[in-house]
Amino acid sequence: MSCSRRTLLKNTVKGAIVASLPISAFRLLSPAELKAAIGDEKVRWGFVVDTTKCVGCGFCVKACKKENEIPYDAPITRTWVERYVVTRDEKVHADSPMGARDGFTSARIDEETMESGGEHTAEIEPAEIAKAFFVPKLCNQCEKPACVQVCPVGATYQTADGVVLIDRTWCIGCGYCVMACPYGVRFFHPKYKVADKCNFCYHRISKGLKTACVQACPFGARQIGNLRDPDDPVTQTIMNERVSVLKDEYGTKPQVFYLGLDYTVK
Amino acid sequence: MKNHVLRPLWVAIAFVALILLARYVMVPRDFGVQGDSFTFNFHRAGNVDEWKNMPAVAYLGGETCVECHDEQGAALEDSPHVIIQCENCHGPGRDHPETENPATMTIDRSRGLCLRCHADLGYENSSRADLPGINPEEHNIDTQCVQCHNPHTAEFKEDA
């Protein structure tokens, strides 16, 4: 067999082109697949937290734990409230005792209760306080969820309406997602031995109810709504007011938007 | 070719076939890419409906409660506490309306329940400061708040 330099080069180029054509280029999409691909869903769930309205009563945490059957006395929770106290010398003290399940009933700050660490408890004189506020946290149901990317078995995923769920029968409990979430919302469920986190009360919102935390909040600090509906109050807030998200620099595109978020909040 | 060369080959082929069979049996039929993204939508489709029904709704909402407890409903209606859901103070009402069993509800007379909102923490610029606050270490210590205050109307109890 003989092969000239010319034919070798020609065939190499041809071969490279053919090899780089993905099989999917020849596949015909069904109308349903096409619809899913362009995101023509009627519902996309979004959340607004107004930190200026929160008084730190913690009823949202209590309701969430009971509604979703999270062991009540274990130090795990799907949603929690953080307290920030910034003193006049610009020190930030933050805590979240038991995720604020029982609210904040004392001025003593126990920084050990924060995931981000801190060691001491602080008794701060009211005169030293420059500002103090409460920040409710929950799963951000990111548009680009880092936790889903790292799952090795396809146990966690994003639904068509934008909620990130965990398949309890499929999760192997490896814990990659717990580490990957920049917001620390994932934990191990001691009963099912799988990863667990807030899912916007999927069983409630798909029945037309509000999430347990939204219903429990006496002050309207939490709102859930449909981002595809331009008249929805949540969509209106996001479009017309100055909202921000947590840890924007991670590029996860959170779908939980905050009003009145201070720069000290991490 | 001689048999002793082929025999390990058959074993290897059988092994691969076994793995493929096991995979076929164990992976659910509805497992796969359910949307446009392999990264985010690769899962068992049936799990979405499982979550739609799990767990059972526990918090029924105040409108359900006042159907039977119109007295408390009326008491709350004209009080500043109207914004607080019954179940925040009494726990989730799941099963209670069907069974009408008072034991399924909790009555929390602890000071802690009221202090969630009424403990004065001295945070002038937070909305906690907008609520009437008391110092828990000074205001009638060691006595339940509901000895003197009606939790529903937020007024003084007549007999207190």
Side-chain angles (χ1 to χ4, degrees):
Chain A
M1 197 175 80
S2 75
C3 179
S4 71
R5 179 198 282 261
R6 175 179 292 263
T7 40
L8 173 76
L9 285 176
K10 258 191 191 166
N11 286 339
T12 311
V13 170
K14 273 191 214 155
I17 289 173
V18 170
S20 62
L21 266 181
I23 302 193
S24 57
F26 300 102
R27 216 178 83 213
L28 282 177
L29 286 177
S30 74
E33 278 174 311
L34 193 67
K35 208 175 140 204
I38 44 181
D40 184 25
E41 270 285 320
K42 293 244 156 41
V43 184
R44 173 101 200 177
W45 297 107
F47 209 96
V48 167
V49 178
D50 188 345
T51 61
T52 61
K53 288 184 178 161
C54 182
V55 306
C57 72
F59 277 142
C60 51
V61 183
K62 178 184 176 188
C64 173
K65 289 195 94 167
K66 297 209 166 188
E67 173 78 32
N68 292 296
E69 295 167 1
I70 307 299
Y72 200 63
D73 293 317
I76 47 172
T77 176
R78 287 183 173 191
T79 184
W80 68 98
V81 183
E82 292 171 357
R83 159 168 64 183
Y84 288 79
V85 176
V86 185
T87 50
R88 299 210 179 276
D89 55 3
E90 288 181 45
K91 285 213 180 69
V92 183
H93 304 269
D95 75 341
S96 183
M98 282 302 275
R101 183 194 75 180
D102 302 322
F104 295 90
T105 55
S106 141
R108 218 190 81 234
I109 294 185
D110 187 358
E111 289 183 47
E112 264 177 60
T113 58
M114 283 287 280
E115 193 145 310
S116 50
E119 298 228 326
H120 59 292
T121 54
E123 202 86 52
I124 300 164
E125 286 297 316
E128 287 175 37
I129 299 173
K131 54 186 171 184
F133 47 87
F134 303 95
V135 183
K137 295 226 176 136
L138 68 163
C139 176
N140 285 293
Q141 315 294 356
C142 304
E143 203 182 307
K144 303 254 174 271
C147 54
V148 172
Q149 275 177 7
V150 300
C151 180
V153 295
T156 183
Y157 58 93
Q158 190 176 49
T159 62
D161 47 12
V163 178
V164 175
L165 298 177
I166 301 157
D167 188 340
R168 281 186 177 164
T169 60
W170 218 240
C171 175
I172 57 171
C174 70
Y176 284 175
C177 56
V178 180
M179 304 305 294
C181 173
Y183 309 99
V185 306
R186 285 182 175 241
F187 57 89
F188 269 107
H189 199 297
K191 188 167 160 211
Y192 301 102
K193 312 271 191 263
V194 295
D196 200 275
K197 68 162 189 73
C198 156
N199 59 11
F200 278 1
C201 282
Y202 206 59
H203 62 297
R204 292 178 64 98
I205 56 176
S206 29
K207 291 186 185 78
L209 299 166
K210 301 274 176 204
T211 69
C213 59
V214 169
Q215 179 173 297
C217 181
F219 304 98
R222 292 170 175 254
Q223 294 296 327
I224 185 158
N226 177 9
L227 302 181
R228 290 275 151 79
D229 175 3
D231 299 323
D232 192 294
V234 166
T235 318
Q236 287 286 327
T237 305
I238 295 168
M239 286 196 306
N240 303 333
E241 314 232 353
R242 281 160 274 178
V243 291
S244 54
V245 294
L246 290 169
K247 299 188 184 173
D248 196 21
E249 66 277 15
Y250 281 74
T252 49
K253 301 211 177 131
Q255 301 298 299
V256 175
F257 296 86
Y258 282 84
L259 280 162
L261 196 66
D262 193 70
Y263 76 97
T264 52
V265 176
K266 284 185 216 77
Chain B
M1 237 186 281
K2 288 229 188 69
N3 225 5
H4 74 275
V5 179
L6 278 183
R7 223 180 280 138
L9 185 67
W10 292 128
V11 171
I13 289 175
F15 188 65
V16 170
L18 199 70
I19 290 174
L20 288 177
L21 184 74
R23 187 180 179 276
Y24 181 78
V25 174
M26 285 169 76
V27 175
R29 287 294 83 81
D30 59 347
F31 199 95
V33 181
Q34 314 294 345
D36 58 335
S37 159
F38 174 77
T39 315
F40 299 128
N41 310 123
F42 182 60
H43 65 101
R44 191 166 60 87
N47 187 241
V48 180
D49 283 331
E50 282 168 27
W51 275 113
K52 282 185 180 165
N53 300 305
M54 172 180 78
V57 171
Y59 279 78
L60 309 176
E63 305 81 41
T64 325
C65 313
V66 298
E67 281 169 23
C68 300
H69 297 286
D70 45 355
E71 195 188 312
Q72 283 80 13
L76 230 71
E77 209 167 74
D78 310 317
S79 106
H81 280 180
V82 67
I83 53 172
I84 315 174
Q85 287 280 331
C86 316
E87 287 162 301
N88 279 343
C89 298
H90 293 296
R94 172 160 63 199
D95 303 335
H96 170 69
E98 290 87 60
T99 58
E100 302 200 353
N101 179 1
T104 58
M105 304 305 293
T106 38
I107 293 192
D108 181 0
R109 294 189 179 86
S110 72
R111 288 169 66 91
L113 176 70
C114 314
L115 293 177
R116 283 168 175 261
C117 292
H118 290 297
D120 183 3
L121 302 176
Y123 300 158
E124 288 309 326
N125 55 2
S126 95
S127 32
R128 175 68 79 96
D130 300 340
L131 306 180
I134 49 125
N135 182 343
E137 265 118 58
E138 281 169 14
H139 188 84
N140 304 302
I141 41 171
D142 297 331
T143 322
Q144 291 166 349
C145 318
V146 291
Q147 297 281 328
C148 307
H149 300 285
N150 182 318
H152 299 140
T153 59
E155 286 168 350
F156 284 109
K157 279 192 173 170
E158 269 136 43
D159 46 0

